Amino acid sequence: MKRFALAGNPNSGKTTLFNNLTGSTAHVGNWPGVTVDKREGTYKKLAEPIAIVDLPGIYSLSPYTPEEVISRNYILDEKPDCVINIVDATNLERNLYLTTQIMEIDVPMVIALNMIDEVEKAGDKIDAAALEEKIGVPVVKISALKGKGIDELMRRAYECSRSPRLGKTVLEGGKLMHLIGDCRIALEGAGVDNALFHAIKLAELDELEVKQHPQSAKMVEEFKKTFKDDTFGSDFEAIVADSRYKYISHNYSSALTKNKRSAREKLSSSDKADKILTHKIWGIPIFLVILFAVFHLTFSENFLWIGAALPEGWVSGEGTAFEGVFGDGGINSIGVILFNLLDLATSSISDAIAGAMSAGGVADWATGLVVDGIFGGLFAVLSFLPQILLLFLFFSILEDSGYMARVAFILDRIFRRFGLSGRAFMPMIMGFGCSVPAMVNTRTLADESERIATIRVIPFFSCGAKLPILTAIAGGIVQMTGLGNADIITYSMYVLGIVVAIAAVLIMRSTTMRGEVPPFIMELPAYRAPQFRSLMMLLWDKLKHFVKKAFTIILASTIVIWFISHFSFNWKFLPDSEMNDSILAGIGMLVRPLFTPLGFGSQLNDWGWVFVVAAVTGLIAKENVIATFGTLAACITSGFVADEALEGVDAVAEMISATGIGIPALIAFIAFNMLTIPCFAAVATAKAEMPDKKRFNYTLVFWVVTSYLVASMIYLIGEWWWTSFIWVAVWAAAITLIVLYNKGKLKNLKLPKINFKKRA
Ligand code: GDP
């Protein structure tokens, strides 16, 4: 099968084109660096099927980051039948820089002038035919988004793929051509493929190239000594780059006719927005407010208080089947309303099933297995689906609009103090969705130590699967104690994760993971209205992924949990009330002393082992934590709720009432689950992204230690805050005294001098 590769600058629309060509639903983002690994699909509308390979976005073929190496090596070594060079036509000159480099490789190529819709909307014109004549490869205008010009592009690419093309360079006639020519002859003599391309990279003294062809590199060094040009000294890389840009602006730029007025207007409206959103002082507070609004819309009960002005019972819908769904007093946020609606549906399903089974005289254990074991666990997790999806939707809107790239920009200044570049912000934000793609995305970071430090803290950015833990426990706390507000607890836990991540990075970057922070070069993408279709596709993907996980891993785990919690070590079936004699309880009791410093160990009563077991099952998938509660809490008859399948919050409330666990221990429980070793999938990804085994092992230790320390600190301070307060005060006083004493400020205090006498 023929293979066509898509190559282009980050954010030029490669993923959109790829999806369009292959019917795939890969994630499109208005953010440079969304595709960090190559992806394959098939285009079927030509005489024969064509494999389409989407390469990571790159600005040039002199790679610094791992993703850039992937793209360069693919084009050079795998020799695709055609390279489709996708060019963002709204940014022609900069995008053609890469084009001039691909041209130098002996590979058929076509140029796709993408985003032509935007160019036309702005009233600009591009003469594709003129450009085609000058560059010497086919140029096709397309709009990947609107699906325009795609068939024409593929037709021409197919045509090209049938005859080989020899590389040519725009450096012809330049100062270095003599050197490049010599290198080329030497390389050709040595039988090297793509001699022209390699000769140019050698002339630039490209690191990879020098390693591969040390012999020819010596020649360049010799030549360099004879080269005394004032403009650049002997920085050949700069000379080459300069020649490319000059060539582009002299020869290619005339193909573009700008509509002067519209260009100025467009610039100013986006500039105006940037003036506010990336403001030195206001940028960050604005970001925090937006973030809080997102959480408020997703998690808050009594989102709006106007309900109070309405006649009593209007909002709460007293007496109807929807009582309390839309609010009680105030109006609930969208997230809570959706949550309540789903809750209504799932509880009527499980009630109906439980009713039918007991009416049909089904054995108790079978009813228990179905209602608690299967539905209890599943519903406990599924009930959070609306809020997870909503949070995703909001984040995607922020990302697609181009705002997240601005946030990276404003955070760069702060990140730098922690030893990170603004680029690290993207993987971190992605971590709120799922650690797996987030860890892969760290490939956009050039410094290896920065990359590893970032991978280590990504799980602290609480992912979608951990959301049920946060929400259910926060909800449980509010329900049981009437204290606080669920969305503030949830929000603070997210903030805790971020703070721990920052502290951890700071410590790592100043001790074991030192390294230079490379300068932050990321162009700000244009503000764009998020595409409805692309957002819906993303949500659909998430939904599928979540439901699939619920009906496989989580279902299997809850059934296993139910079985081992209802059988004793000598395989006797145990009714709910004797669950404390079960295999699971036995194991839980055995390990629970380990969790005593965290507040959910030996100090809890008989049922306390459920917390320990839940935390351990979370290592398989984080949703399991709440699924385990759902399965087990229904069996505990503390009298808080009737014996039925429980949704997440009720399950936690039940556990709180059965064990009498306190708020500090509950918060410690969330913190432990949030910061400890992430799920299997994330651990496997971290391992794959860290070729050095020792570093990976340290990473596991790091997760365990951090979660244990932070959780126990929360518990200890929360439970004995008065004692802790005194301790801290005493220590602070002691340290202050020592510091002052050392500075000699207390000299006149006449402290006794301590003499050490030698023993005779
Ligand atoms: P990649 O980083 O190169 O994979 O780029 P994406 O495919 O993620 O696209 C980046 C942004 O450009 C997204 O917001 C797309 O919706 C948008 N985009 C892509 N192609 C077009 C197009 O033809 N016209 C317009 N107006 N926007 C586009």
Side-chain angles (χ1 to χ4, degrees):
M1 191 158 49
K2 278 191 192 251
R3 279 169 305 122
F4 292 1
L6 300 182
N9 282 192
N11 223 31
S12 57
K14 269 187 303 67
T15 310
T16 314
L17 179 62
F18 178 79
N19 288 348
N20 204 316
L21 291 174
T22 62
S24 137
T25 54
H27 174 41
V28 175
N30 195 7
W31 176 287
V34 164
T35 316
V36 289
D37 205 350
K38 56 182 197 298
R39 256 197 298 249
E40 280 198 56
T42 318
Y43 179 75
K44 299 191 181 113
K45 288 203 217 154
L46 287 171
E48 55 178 307
I50 308 281
I52 307 286
V53 183
D54 186 16
L55 300 175
I58 44 175
Y59 292 109
S60 98
L61 289 177
S62 298
Y64 294 103
T65 65
E67 40 153 15
E68 288 170 347
V69 180
I70 296 177
S71 294
R72 164 174 161 150
N73 288 353
Y74 189 86
I75 302 177
L76 283 175
D77 304 338
E78 309 281 325
K79 302 194 170 34
D81 296 286
C82 181
V83 173
I84 299 179
N85 172 213
I86 176 160
V87 162
D88 174 358
T90 62
N91 238 321
L92 196 61
E93 285 195 17
R94 206 211 46 226
N95 275 251
L96 287 174
Y97 184 74
L98 175 67
T99 309
T100 61
Q101 299 184 46
I102 303 178
M103 273 163 64
E104 287 156 2
I105 301 177
D106 300 338
V107 68
M109 77 183 277
V110 295
I111 293 173
L113 275 185
N114 191 32
M115 314 222 186
I116 212 70
D117 55 320
E118 275 194 22
V119 173
E120 284 166 359
K121 209 166 91 192
D124 301 343
K125 282 200 188 69
I126 296 185
D127 187 347
L131 204 57
E132 175 165 337
E133 201 185 301
K134 284 191 174 140
I135 302 181
V137 303
V139 175
V140 185
K141 291 191 205 176
I142 68 162
S143 166
L145 192 67
K146 308 249 149 91
K148 272 199 329 210
I150 310 265
D151 292 338
E152 166 75 1
L153 172 72
M154 291 307 285
R155 196 181 56 74
R156 298 210 57 189
Y158 189 64
E159 240 167 51
C160 277
S161 71
R162 290 202 275 200
S163 41
R165 188 187 68 90
L166 277 186
K168 59 176 209 164
T169 177
V170 300
L171 303 172
E172 213 72 63
K175 306 177 200 172
L176 289 181
M177 210 47 216
H178 179 57
L179 169 67
I180 292 170
D182 286 353
C183 284
R184 179 183 185 170
I185 293 167
L187 290 173
E188 269 170 352
V192 173
D193 260 4
N194 283 311
L196 173 65
F197 174 83
H198 290 293
I200 295 170
K201 288 286 163 249
L202 263 178
E204 292 176 9
L205 287 174
D206 172 275
E207 235 174 80
L208 281 177
E209 213 60 54
V210 171
K211 255 187 237 152
Q212 277 167 10
H213 310 288
Q215 221 45 41
S216 312
K218 268 189 212 133
M219 192 162 89
V220 180
E221 288 292 357
E222 283 306 310
F223 184 84
K224 224 172 155 176
K225 285 180 197 146
T226 66
F227 201 96
K228 291 262 180 322
D229 184 287
D230 307 334
T231 21
F232 289 109
S234 46
D235 185 355
F236 292 178
E237 196 181 350
I239 301 178
V240 170
D242 185 63
S243 321
R244 286 189 201 282
Y245 274 121
K246 281 206 177 113
Y247 191 89
I248 292 170
S249 66
H250 286 161
N251 296 282
Y252 300 157
S253 295
S254 54
L256 171 74
T257 333
K258 275 226 177 251
N259 172 353
K260 289 260 161 45
R261 200 170 48 82
S262 83
R264 226 181 301 127
E265 266 169 20
K266 199 174 164 210
L267 202 71
S268 69
S269 69
S270 137
D271 273 1
K272 262 186 217 153
D274 273 343
K275 255 203 178 130
I276 303 167
L277 295 178
T278 62
H279 189 271
K280 256 193 177 159
I281 298 163
W282 296 115
I284 289 170
I286 291 175
F287 174 56
L288 291 179
V289 168
I290 291 179
L291 216 55
F292 186 76
V294 164
F295 279 89
H296 200 53
L297 273 168
T298 313
F299 298 114
S300 158
E301 292 190 354
N302 290 330
F303 173 69
L304 276 180
W305 283 101
I306 56 159
L310 297 171
E312 214 179 285
W314 252 53
V315 175
S316 62
E318 233 173 87
T320 69
F322 291 100
E323 185 168 344
V325 168
F326 298 98
D328 189 6
I331 296 176
N332 289 337
S333 66
I334 319 170
V336 173
I337 292 176
L338 291 175
F339 176 89
N340 287 341
L341 284 173
L342 186 68
D343 186 87
L344 213 60
T346 51
S347 42
S348 35
I349 293 174
S350 60
D351 283 355
I353 292 174
M357 286 183 94
S358 74
V362 179
D364 274 359
W365 71 267
T367 314
L369 171 64
V370 173
V371 176
D372 306 333
I374 297 179
F375 287 102
L378 269 187
F379 286 166
V381 172
L382 282 179
S383 59
F384 293 101
L385 189 57
Q387 282 164 316
I388 293 176
L389 289 184
L390 209 59
L391 203 60
F392 255 101
L393 179 70
F394 289 133
F395 274 128
S396 314
I397 291 176
L398 290 180
E399 189 192 319
D400 284 4
S401 64
Y403 177 64
M404 285 302 195
R406 268 81 189 170
V407 178
F409 174 74
I410 50 177
L411 287 181
D412 185 57
R413 255 180 304 139
I414 301 180
F415 269 40
R416 223 148 261 285
R417 301 204 186 137
F418 306 131
L420 293 179
S421 66
R423 255 174 192 273
F425 170 72
M426 184 55 176
M428 289 176 177
I429 275 288
M430 283 173 88
F432 284 131
C434 174
S435 298
V436 171
M439 286 176 178
V440 175
N441 191 278
T442 57
R443 292 183 197 171
T444 56
L445 303 176
D447 180 54
E448 186 65 11
S449 303
E450 179 188 16
R451 194 164 108 83
I452 287 175
T454 309
I455 291 180
R456 286 183 180 163
V457 301
I458 279 175
F460 300 168
F461 295 83
S462 185
C463 73
K466 291 176 188 167
L467 188 80
I469 309 178
L470 269 61
T471 319
I473 301 213
I477 291 177
V478 174
Q479 203 176 102
M480 287 313 287
T481 62
L483 272 182
N485 181 321
D487 66 320
I488 294 190
I489 301 179
T490 312
Y491 189 69
S492 331
M493 292 317 287
Y494 271 93
V495 173
L496 173 78
I498 299 173
V499 170
V500 174
I502 291 175
V505 165
L506 199 60
I507 295 171
M508 274 191 276
R509 290 294 273 168
S510 51
T511 54
T512 57
M513 291 279 131
R514 274 175 215 267
E516 248 183 67
V517 186
F520 182 46
I521 332 166
M522 188 185 83
E523 55 162 321
L524 293 181
Y527 284 107
R528 290 204 173 91
Q531 295 297 314
F532 182 74
R533 209 180 97 88
S534 128
L535 287 177
M536 288 304 120
M537 260 170 16
L538 188 73
L539 286 193
W540 176 238
D541 260 11
K542 274 280 148 225
L543 182 83
K544 269 198 307 202
H545 177 77
F546 192 86
V547 171
K548 200 172 133 203
K549 210 163 149 198
F551 281 93
T552 49
I553 302 179
I554 297 163
L555 181 61
S557 315
T558 52
I559 293 177
V560 170
I561 294 280
W562 189 86
F563 267 104
I564 57 176
S565 62
H566 283 78
F567 281 92
S568 64
F569 277 105
N570 44 20
W571 289 114
K572 201 179 118 223
F573 173 72
L574 303 169
D576 289 349
S577 56
E578 288 170 35
M579 228 163 46
N580 276 332
D581 298 326
S582 67
I583 301 177
L584 189 64
I587 301 171
M589 300 278 197
L590 196 69
V591 292
R592 75 180 200 171
L594 286 178
F595 294 89
T596 306
L598 314 192
F600 49 95
S602 310
Q603 63 270 71
L604 297 183
N605 67 10
D606 284 353
W607 295 111
W609 55 269
V610 173
F611 283 93
V612 173
V613 167
V616 174
T617 57
L619 296 181
I620 301 168
K622 290 291 163 187
E623 293 94 334
N624 270 339
V625 175
I626 293 306
T628 303
F629 277 166
T631 300
L632 297 180
C635 308
I636 297 176
T637 43
S638 75
F640 174 66
V641 272
D643 187 9
E644 59 176 34
L646 295 175
E647 264 76 37
V649 175
D650 295 332
V652 171
E654 178 69 36
M655 285 310 308
I656 296 176
S657 118
T659 56
I661 188 171
I663 295 177
L666 284 168
I667 303 276
F669 181 76
I670 306 183
F672 178 76
N673 281 292
M674 209 165 95
L675 304 175
T676 197
I677 300 181
C679 68
F680 272 176
V683 172
T685 312
K687 190 168 178 195
E689 294 297 318
M690 283 183 213
D692 186 347
K693 240 188 130 188
K694 222 159 80 196
R695 288 190 151 167
F696 169 71
N697 292 339
Y698 284 143
T699 305
L700 292 178
V701 174
F702 166 76
W703 284 329
V704 173
V705 171
T706 310
S707 56
Y708 202 87
L709 280 182
V710 174
S712 60
M713 227 149 75
I714 291 176
Y715 173 65
L716 290 179
I717 295 175
E719 194 72 7
W720 287 289
W721 64 274
W722 188 232
T723 321
S724 327
F725 176 73
I726 294 174
W727 266 110
V728 171
V730 169
W731 275 101
I735 291 170
T736 320
L737 279 178
I738 293 169
V739 170
L740 290 180
Y741 185 66
N742 283 343
K743 277 193 172 168
K745 291 205 175 140
L746 292 182
K747 263 183 200 144
N748 43 3
L749 259 185
K750 291 243 164 63
L751 286 169
K753 233 186 177 171
I754 304 167
N755 291 317
F756 294 98
K757 276 187 193 151
K758 265 193 194 160
R759 262 200 248 166

